[in-house]
């Protein structure tokens, strides 16, 4: 191949695209589509809730909710942006925002991280409970020849996934029985879906769900293995379910547009879906479910096979239609 067929990535000064960090870069990042880009890199589903959020005499650049964050108090995310190299002033602000906003996830974005600040975030990840997560991200702009510049997020600090998984959620420094069952279930499920590589799945963690990214802003597919039965509205027996979730900008409009195709979707899928079975301010869902015996490991292969089939069906029937609306 001749050398002329190869181009070289060239760095672009952030200030040529966003002259001012506060008035240009922060609003750009706070846009739901761009937060989705960042969230995809971090493995988070982020929903913007405001910029320049007041905390005493300071203001946090971006406040978000993690739509995969569990309880309300666990879902707040603070993002602090900084041009240039990281400094002690911004590290102090991050700690202030964490306390003042009760944020469990903190993202520090800068052009370059000093070694001492990487070490500080690593220490926070190691010394706090698994409910907290600290990320360090370097932002850069790149272009090829005369192309438009493209942003790239490079993660330089993130929680230690293994230590977060095995960190105590019960007495004796071990996972609770429920959490251990969830981790074992999703570990087996990941092996199943990765055996043929037909659907994407996030790494197994001790929670009631795993996510499947669909490659479009404001959409995701979620698999659940839960002690809560949504049909009975109690925990007398558990359930497995698969949901297509809409969130972010114009999620209600896009959900309603897809709902207009409910009859067509039912015919193509061969089954009816439940449309928004729960009222939610942030997320709208299309889902299918079945009862499950949560603690009966002998039944797990049946539930995992059902989840895999339903996720594949959702990717084949619903996701393409939803992505057209999202576009």
């Amino acid at each position: 191949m001749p050398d002329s067929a190869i181009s070289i990535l060239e760095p672009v000064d952030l200030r040529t695209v966003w002259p001012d960090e506060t008035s240009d870069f922060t609003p750009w990042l706070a846009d739901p589509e761009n937060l989705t880009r960042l969230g995809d890199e971090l493995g988070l589903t982020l929903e913007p809730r405001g910029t320049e959020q007041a905390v005493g005499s300071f203001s946090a650049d971006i406040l978000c909710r993690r739509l995969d964050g569990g309880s309300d108090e666990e879902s707040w995310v603070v993002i602090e942006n900084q041009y240039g190299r990281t400094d002690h002033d911004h590290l102090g602000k991050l700690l202030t925002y964490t306390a003042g906003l009760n944020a469990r996830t903190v993202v520090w974005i800068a052009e370059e991280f000093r070694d001492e600040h990487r070490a500080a975030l690593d220490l926070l990840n190691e010394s706090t409970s698994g409910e907290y997560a600290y990320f360090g991200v370097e932002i850069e702009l790149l272009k090829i020849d005369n192309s438009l510049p493209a942003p790239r997020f490079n993660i330089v600090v993130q929680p230690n996934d293994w230590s977060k998984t095995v960190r105590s959620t019960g007495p004796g420094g071990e996972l609770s029985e429920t959490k251990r069952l969830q981790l074992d279930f999703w570990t087996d499920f990941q092996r199943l879906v990765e055996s043929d590589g037909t659907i994407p799945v996030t790494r197994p963690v001790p929670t009631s769900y795993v996510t499947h990214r669909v490659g479009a802003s404001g959409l995701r597919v979620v698999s659940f293995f839960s002690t809560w039965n949504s049909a009975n509205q109690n925990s007398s027996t558990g359930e497995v379910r698969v949901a297509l979730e809409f969130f972010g900008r114009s999620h209600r409009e896009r959900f309603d547009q897809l709902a207009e195709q409910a009859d067509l979707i039912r015919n193509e899928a061969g089954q009816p879906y439940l449309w928004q079975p729960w009222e939610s301010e942030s997320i709208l869902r299309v889902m299918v479910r079945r009862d499950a015996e949560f603690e009966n490991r002998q039944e797990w292969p049946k539930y995992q096979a059902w989840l895999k089939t339903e996720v594949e069906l959702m990717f084949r029937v619903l996701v393409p239609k939803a992505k057209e609306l999202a576009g």
Side-chain angles (χ1 to χ4, degrees):
M1 180 180 294
D3 291 342
S4 59
I6 301 295
S7 294
I8 299 176
L9 285 171
E10 299 179 20
V12 178
D13 189 340
L14 299 186
R15 293 157 190 79
T16 62
V17 175
W18 306 294
D20 184 77
E21 181 256 307
T22 300
S23 59
D24 298 307
F25 179 74
T26 294
W28 174 84
L29 184 59
D31 181 90
E33 183 174 349
N34 298 320
L35 275 180
T36 297
R37 292 187 191 181
L38 174 63
D40 285 344
E41 294 295 328
L42 300 176
L44 306 174
T45 304
L46 301 175
E47 178 190 56
R49 284 305 181 92
T51 59
E52 302 302 324
Q53 182 72 35
V55 183
S57 59
F58 301 102
S59 59
D61 288 334
I62 301 174
L63 183 65
C64 304
R65 293 288 296 275
R66 279 181 60 181
L67 299 185
D68 57 346
S71 66
D72 285 346
E73 67 177 6
E74 293 172 342
S75 66
W76 291 110
V77 180
V78 164
I79 300 175
E80 180 69 6
N81 309 317
Q82 179 182 0
Y83 277 1
R85 302 181 74 191
T86 54
D87 57 39
H88 293 337
D89 177 61
H90 281 80
L91 176 60
K93 289 179 179 178
L94 280 175
L95 298 178
T96 300
Y97 302 153
T98 303
L101 297 172
N102 196 26
R104 304 295 178 90
T105 303
V106 177
V107 183
W108 188 2
I109 300 178
E111 292 181 82
E112 181 183 354
F113 264 76
R114 296 177 186 269
D115 290 342
E116 56 266 36
H117 296 138
R118 294 192 194 197
L121 293 186
D122 283 335
L123 179 61
L124 287 168
N125 280 320
E126 292 170 5
S127 59
T128 57
S129 72
E131 297 175 353
Y132 291 86
Y134 295 86
F135 294 90
V137 180
E138 291 182 342
I139 174 72
E140 63 178 339
L141 281 175
L142 300 169
K143 71 174 184 176
I144 301 176
D145 296 330
N146 295 319
S147 70
L148 293 173
R152 183 163 68 182
F153 298 107
N154 303 308
I155 301 173
V156 298
V157 180
Q158 61 185 339
N160 185 310
D161 295 322
W162 173 246
S163 68
K164 293 293 181 181
T165 298
V166 301
R167 195 67 56 86
S168 172
T169 57
E174 297 181 354
L175 292 170
S176 68
E177 181 60 24
T178 296
K179 294 294 185 183
R180 185 164 297 283
L181 288 170
Q182 290 169 337
L183 179 60
D184 290 348
F185 182 91
W186 293 127
T187 299
D188 292 343
F189 180 68
Q190 185 184 45
R191 294 193 188 103
L192 175 66
V193 300
E194 289 184 343
S195 63
D196 56 18
T198 55
I199 55 176
V201 61
T202 54
R203 57 183 175 269
V205 290
T207 63
S208 62
Y209 62 89
V210 294
T211 60
H212 313 275
R213 296 191 184 89
V214 304
S217 175
L219 291 172
R220 68 173 184 172
V221 173
V222 187
S223 293
F224 292 89
F225 176 54
S226 176
T227 58
W228 174 257
N229 189 298
S230 63
N232 301 329
Q233 292 291 291
N234 59 47
S235 299
S236 59
T237 184
E239 72 175 17
V240 285
R241 61 183 183 269
V242 178
L244 173 63
E245 297 189 341
F246 291 76
F247 56 91
R249 183 172 53 188
S250 304
H251 70 302
R252 169 66 69 176
E253 178 183 354
R254 291 183 286 124
F255 175 86
D256 291 342
Q257 289 175 349
L258 187 65
E260 293 174 359
Q261 305 179 50
D263 290 340
L264 173 63
I265 290 170
R266 181 173 60 249
N267 291 335
E268 290 186 18
Q271 66 175 338
Y273 284 100
L274 301 173
W275 295 80
Q276 185 52 24
W278 303 290
E279 288 300 322
S280 170
E281 176 186 354
S282 302
I283 307 175
L284 299 171
R285 299 177 176 90
V286 188
M287 63 164 261
V288 60
R289 62 162 303 281
R290 62 170 292 175
D291 291 346
E293 299 177 57
F294 185 83
E295 298 181 358
N296 189 345
R297 288 177 179 264
Q298 292 183 342
E299 294 293 304
W300 284 8
K302 179 172 65 177
Y303 303 148
Q304 290 155 352
W306 181 89
L307 284 171
K308 182 175 183 291
T309 297
E310 293 301 332
V311 171
E312 291 172 346
L313 182 62
M314 194 165 282
F315 267 87
R316 188 167 66 249
V317 177
L318 275 86
V319 169
K321 295 178 171 60
K323 290 176 73 171
E324 289 180 4
L325 300 175

